[in-house]
Amino acid sequence: MLTADIPPNQSIYVKNLNEKIKKEELKRSLYCLFSQYGRILDVVALKTPKLRGQAWVVFDELTAASNAFRQMQNFPFYDKPMRIQYAKTKSDCIAKNDGSFVPREKKKKQEEKAERKRRAEEAQQSAMPNGTGSQSNGGPKAPFHYGNVNAQEQAAPNNILFIQNLPHESTSMMLQLLFEQYPGFREVRMIEAKPGIAFVEYEDEEQSSTAMQNLQGFKIAPQYPMAITFAKK
């Protein structure tokens, strides 16, 4: 059940997450999934017994958080439907930005201290290069060269997309979460011997074209805008 009396704010609380997923993979996947709605300042996920299966995603703008709240409700994330509501309390990074931050008096657990430090570093890193959406968070893109495929040598439109400039820690599940939002999705294929690239297959070229248009330049990680072309057959 969602809490109706929590006012909309820049942080969303996500629960019913798969507890078997490792913390760092969970954070990367949440960042990857939610950054299509706007610039993310922070993703918080802890593996303490009381906080398993939960996370907080902090956006730079309220409109981004609201769009994510509406559109990702019950989204199947690692085989479990996400339950989303607005966070009850203001996140530290938002409080610091607006001057209302008050340090907590009791900070006993060493894990929590390490987590706060890590979050601050990630927030600073993501705030610099990342933008407000997949179409506006880039900057000039240099041509990508992988084997015999580059930005100036595109194949004819077809149902398979060739994805380049992926972070090496990308997983097929992270890409599936992104691309399965568009109709006709079939599968993601990654090549273990060649990290940084992947193939995504749709039922037809019209559906693959729609996914390409919407995800071109999308950043799975702050400094890695995806370069998408049609695969050579």
Side-chain angles (χ1 to χ4, degrees), residues 93-104:
C93 55
I94 295 295
K96 289 176 181 178
N97 285 344
D98 65 18
S100 62
F101 176 71
V102 177
R104 295 178 177 87

Side-chain angles (χ1 to χ4, degrees), residues 2-231:
L2 297 180
T3 306
D5 57 354
I6 300 176
N9 62 83
Q10 292 156 269
S11 303
I12 59 174
Y13 167 61
V14 187
K15 60 182 179 178
N16 198 42
L17 299 173
N18 193 322
E19 297 181 11
K20 296 180 181 179
I21 308 303
K22 293 182 179 180
K23 183 176 71 172
E24 291 307 315
E25 179 181 351
L26 177 66
K27 292 174 66 174
R28 287 196 299 265
S29 296
L30 287 170
Y31 179 93
C32 171
L33 187 64
F34 281 103
S35 60
Q36 61 186 306
Y37 296 101
R39 184 158 67 91
I40 291 176
L41 299 179
D42 203 359
V43 176
V44 181
L46 299 174
K47 279 295 185 177
T48 56
K50 290 184 178 181
L51 296 177
R52 287 181 180 275
Q54 307 168 63
W56 288 261
V57 180
V58 185
F59 288 90
D60 186 40
E61 297 181 351
L62 174 60
T63 52
S66 298
N67 287 336
F69 171 84
R70 289 192 303 267
Q71 297 183 37
M72 298 306 295
Q73 193 68 254
N74 297 317
F75 182 84
F77 185 73
Y78 288 100
D79 300 322
K80 295 186 69 174
M82 292 192 295
R83 309 296 188 213
I84 305 175
Q85 64 187 59
Y86 291 107
K88 293 181 180 180
T89 58
K90 185 182 296 186
S91 73
D92 287 355
C93 55
I94 295 295
K96 289 176 181 178
N97 285 344
D98 65 18
S100 62
F101 176 71
V102 177
R104 295 178 177 87
E105 294 181 1
K106 296 182 180 180
K107 299 182 178 179
K108 297 180 179 179
K109 295 183 179 180
Q110 192 171 12
E111 180 183 352
E112 293 179 354
K113 291 183 179 180
E115 187 67 22
R116 281 192 296 273
K117 182 179 179 181
R118 189 181 303 112
R119 293 201 314 248
E121 292 172 352
E122 291 173 354
Q124 183 179 10
Q125 181 183 5
S126 61
M128 292 177 64
N130 203 18
T132 58
S134 62
Q135 298 300 321
S136 60
N137 64 353
K141 297 186 180 71
F144 295 95
H145 298 272
Y146 288 88
N148 60 352
V149 180
N150 58 56
Q152 285 77 35
E153 190 180 335
Q154 294 191 22
N158 62 82
N159 66 317
I160 300 177
L161 300 176
F162 179 48
I163 320 299
Q164 304 172 78
N165 200 42
L166 296 170
H168 286 191
E169 63 270 19
S170 300
T171 65
S172 57
M173 178 58 72
M174 292 167 65
L175 294 176
Q176 180 177 327
L177 290 169
L178 278 178
F179 285 92
E180 71 180 359
Q181 299 176 79
Y182 301 97
F185 171 82
R186 283 184 175 174
E187 66 172 344
V188 172
R189 296 191 295 274
M190 301 188 76
I191 304 174
E192 187 174 348
K194 293 184 178 181
I197 66 174
F199 295 89
V200 179
E201 182 175 350
Y202 284 85
E203 293 178 2
D204 59 45
E205 66 181 58
E206 183 176 340
Q207 294 167 330
S208 64
S209 297
T210 299
M212 177 192 290
Q213 292 168 6
N214 283 279
L215 291 174
Q216 188 71 262
F218 180 84
K219 295 177 180 178
I220 287 183
Q223 297 177 346
Y224 290 87
M226 288 195 297
I228 308 176
T229 58
F230 292 107

